[in-house]
Amino acid sequence: MAAAPVLVWLRNDLRLSDNPALHAAAATGRPIVPFYILDDATPGKWRLGGAGRWWLHHSLHSLSRRLTRRGVALTLRRGEAVAVVSELIEETGASALYCNRACEPWARCDEHCLGALDIELHRFAGGLLFDPEHMRTVSGTPFRVFTPFSKACLAAPPPDPPLPAPKSMVAPARVPPGDTLTGWGLLPVRPDWSGGLRAAWRPGEPQAQGRVAAVANTVVSDYLGGRERPGRAGTSRLSPHLHFGEVTPRQCWHAVQAGIAADPAAAPGGQAFLRQLLWREFSAHLLIHVPTLPERPFRPRFAAMRYPGSKAMLGRWQRGRTGIPIVDAGMRELWHTGWMHNRVRMIAASLLVKNMRVDWRLGAAWFWDTLVDADLANNSASWQWVAGSGADAAPYFRIFSPVLQGRRYDPDGAYVRRWVPELTRLAASHIHAPWQAPAAVLAAAGVTLGATYPRPCVDLGETRRRALADYRALSGSGPSADGPKTDRPRRMA
Ligand code: FAD
């Protein structure tokens, strides 16, 4: 009699290498049935957004081909995850189910429900560097502040070396029937807005692994100088690959450590890059310990904060028509490519929440739909950080000035020129605040405010003062004497 197969549930771990669940399942020597479930019901409002669906299509396509080449088929099913898993157990007579742990609240609930099914369940730590249950403060509570968290991570034994792809996988005598990928309709058709995404990205494990090698060899050497410049390709652009699990943080970790060992001059950049991976780790640990993070302020007193900003304001921000060039550039980059530079994400989010006074959850929802790297942990933690309500959040008196931020991080205006072509002919000295430029300068650059390019949607000074007053009232204490003078960010820097 043929051995009962084992099931491998792939979620945001769309890779063959360093995949503990797949590796362990293959090592049993039994036939394996890898499957992916498209579940639009269980996550509720956090069902995969438009840009994420585009990425998922291509990532699954790539994974499926790679599995097929190794003799194993990927089964696609659609529906409520736990019900679909139950059906698959019944249909295949599988004896065991393998999966990697996830950090989204609904995914953790699913894992909990699997415990009630009549099957051996094997769960693995797949997508994080450190075990969230073990990474605790000396008093045994989860970390709420990044710096001690990162110190504890760096003092802990380093993450295990990555696993290779399984050497061999046995196919079952009968592959359970599944959906076709094209039948899921993950790609936009009417209209097809994905041209910019296609030009910017190559989803899939081979491309992700190639990117990691490039990061370890070259990107980190310029990371310190280049990572804060949205006009340069100074960051790794690994975020969507990491989100969909085409690469693991420990693959990145070890590749970068090896790069540093080979070239000690790359150490400062390499360490700065590893620190960003720890921000990802911190956000994931937070979400695991505080599953309400996407919905409710981490600091409860922020529940009283009012957000009178209008829908029209939100619409201008979404369309990149705020009249604030660095923000419009970022929002257009996002719309076009599904990605935005981290510095600009902070500036754009700050304008929405603190100057336009629109609820951070509406901004987070827009990012969720439009980012190819939309990630519940990173997105929620970062929006709460900007809104001041998060763990280790920006002090309330740090309100970004988009003009100063633009001048500092896009000094020659290259980034704004790329995404806001209406302003191309403005000199760097005026490009971040065209409303302050003399009329003759605007005319010479072909800019008519209110016609060729919008006037600013808010008075930055006045809205900053109002926000400060509201935040001060909420916090119940004033800033320190030198606090409000700078808009320099304290973290994510
Ligand atoms: P690199 O600078 O090369 O960093 C390497 C990796 O570290 C990234 O791929 C990412 O996984 C992680 N990382 C870097 N910065 C952060 C950070 N501040 N917080 C957590 N992880 C970080 N990141 C997402 O992956 N998904 C999101 O949905 C998301 N939403 C955000 C929303 C806002 C308002 C802000 C301010 C930031 C958000 N970020 C999000 C964090 C950050 O902007 C992106 O991770 C980063 O821009 C990705 O580009 P990169 O891969 O080139 O980063």
Side-chain angles (χ1 to χ4, degrees):
M1 200 176 112
V6 297
L7 298 173
V8 185
W9 186 8
L10 296 168
R11 295 185 286 181
N12 283 336
D13 43 10
L14 304 179
R15 62 180 181 274
L16 303 185
S17 63
D18 201 23
N19 188 327
L22 184 65
H23 200 268
T28 62
R30 289 165 172 263
I32 68 169
V33 178
F35 65 97
Y36 183 91
I37 303 172
L38 179 64
D39 181 351
D40 280 331
T42 316
K45 67 188 276 203
W46 299 113
R47 76 196 273 269
L48 200 59
R53 294 172 105 76
W54 176 87
W55 192 284
L56 178 68
H57 174 98
H58 293 290
S59 194
L60 284 174
H61 179 68
S62 167
L63 181 69
S64 170
R65 284 176 51 157
R66 284 160 59 71
L67 281 167
T68 307
R69 277 205 294 270
R70 287 160 184 254
V72 174
L74 177 66
T75 297
L76 302 178
R77 290 278 174 101
R78 191 171 198 157
E80 283 189 33
V82 178
V84 173
V85 174
S86 247
E87 285 161 19
L88 280 169
I89 295 172
E90 191 142 317
E91 286 170 36
T92 58
S95 58
L97 171 64
Y98 290 73
C99 68
N100 297 311
R101 289 195 177 86
C103 65
E104 291 82 3
W106 65 83
R108 286 166 61 77
C109 264
D110 285 348
E111 286 170 36
H112 184 73
C113 295
L114 294 179
L117 300 181
D118 185 19
I119 195 161
E120 239 177 69
L121 178 61
H122 301 273
R123 292 192 301 156
F124 298 83
L128 294 175
L129 293 165
F130 301 99
D131 183 342
E133 292 312 322
H134 291 138
M135 196 51 72
R136 303 257 167 173
T137 63
V138 279
S139 51
T141 55
F143 283 96
R144 293 169 150 250
V145 181
F146 175 72
T147 301
F149 172 82
S150 65
K151 282 188 180 153
C153 292
L154 294 171
D160 288 339
L163 295 164
K167 277 208 182 71
S168 64
M169 291 181 276
V170 180
R174 191 184 147 271
V175 177
D179 302 339
T180 62
L181 187 54
T182 41
W184 279 359
L186 296 172
L187 300 178
V189 275
R190 272 191 296 270
D192 174 6
W193 43 258
S194 63
L197 275 62
R198 281 197 300 276
W201 302 102
R202 295 281 174 274
E205 182 180 6
Q207 291 75 11
Q209 301 295 337
R211 189 81 204 122
V212 173
V215 168
N217 292 332
T218 53
V219 177
V220 293
S221 56
D222 182 41
Y223 192 70
L224 270 190
R227 61 180 281 262
E228 289 289 14
R229 291 292 169 87
R232 276 162 62 176
T235 66
S236 73
R237 297 173 73 92
L238 276 168
S239 49
H241 299 292
L242 277 163
H243 171 73
F244 285 94
E246 297 168 355
V247 63
T248 61
R250 69 179 175 181
Q251 288 176 320
C252 300
W253 185 277
H254 285 284
V256 168
Q257 293 288 18
I260 294 174
D263 174 14
Q271 274 144 12
F273 175 81
L274 297 181
R275 191 176 151 84
Q276 296 312 113
L277 285 184
L278 293 181
W279 271 113
R280 174 184 186 273
E281 190 82 7
F282 182 57
S283 303
H285 288 215
L286 264 185
L287 181 61
I288 287 169
H289 296 302
V290 187
T292 54
L293 196 67
E295 319 288 348
R296 280 192 237 142
F298 181 86
R299 294 165 191 242
R301 70 186 143 87
F302 274 79
M305 179 58 95
R306 294 289 153 249
Y307 296 102
S310 65
K311 265 196 172 157
M313 280 282 182
L314 175 65
R316 286 185 68 165
W317 180 82
Q318 290 171 333
R319 291 195 309 277
R321 305 281 300 161
T322 65
I324 314 288
I326 187 93
V327 173
D328 290 344
M331 298 307 293
R332 296 180 196 186
E333 179 182 29
L334 171 63
W335 183 250
H336 196 71
T337 70
W339 186 86
M340 194 198 295
H341 188 278
N342 180 59
R343 169 63 45 190
V344 189
R345 292 188 202 201
M346 288 193 275
I347 302 169
S350 172
L351 184 86
L352 184 76
V353 176
K354 291 189 169 159
N355 299 94
M356 300 167 104
R357 302 303 296 278
V358 172
D359 194 318
W360 61 269
R361 283 159 284 219
L362 297 175
W366 182 252
F367 272 27
W368 184 257
D369 195 32
T370 51
L371 278 171
V372 284
D373 66 22
D375 178 276
L376 198 70
N378 282 355
N379 199 38
S380 312
S382 300
W383 274 94
Q384 290 233 31
W385 180 82
V386 172
S389 60
D392 202 9
Y396 74 85
F397 48 80
R398 298 243 161 101
I399 297 181
F400 284 100
S401 155
V403 175
L404 296 183
Q405 290 276 314
R407 287 181 183 148
R408 182 167 176 174
Y409 295 108
D410 183 34
D412 53 5
Y415 179 70
V416 167
R417 272 192 204 94
R418 167 144 192 231
W419 293 108
V420 189
E422 310 89 286
L423 302 179
T424 305
R425 286 160 57 206
L426 267 185
S429 50
H430 296 296
I431 202 161
H432 291 292
W435 61 94
Q436 289 171 355
V441 169
L442 289 176
V447 176
T448 309
L449 291 179
T452 62
Y453 183 68
R455 292 180 198 285
C457 61
V458 288
D459 176 326
L460 290 173
E462 179 52 31
T463 50
R464 182 177 192 278
R465 272 188 293 281
R466 254 188 266 147
L468 271 177
D470 286 0
Y471 273 79
R472 190 177 293 129
L474 192 72
S475 90
S477 64
S480 61
D482 59 349
K485 289 188 194 128
T486 172
D487 69 351
R488 205 159 42 172
R490 185 172 64 96
R491 61 147 266 205
M492 294 194 175

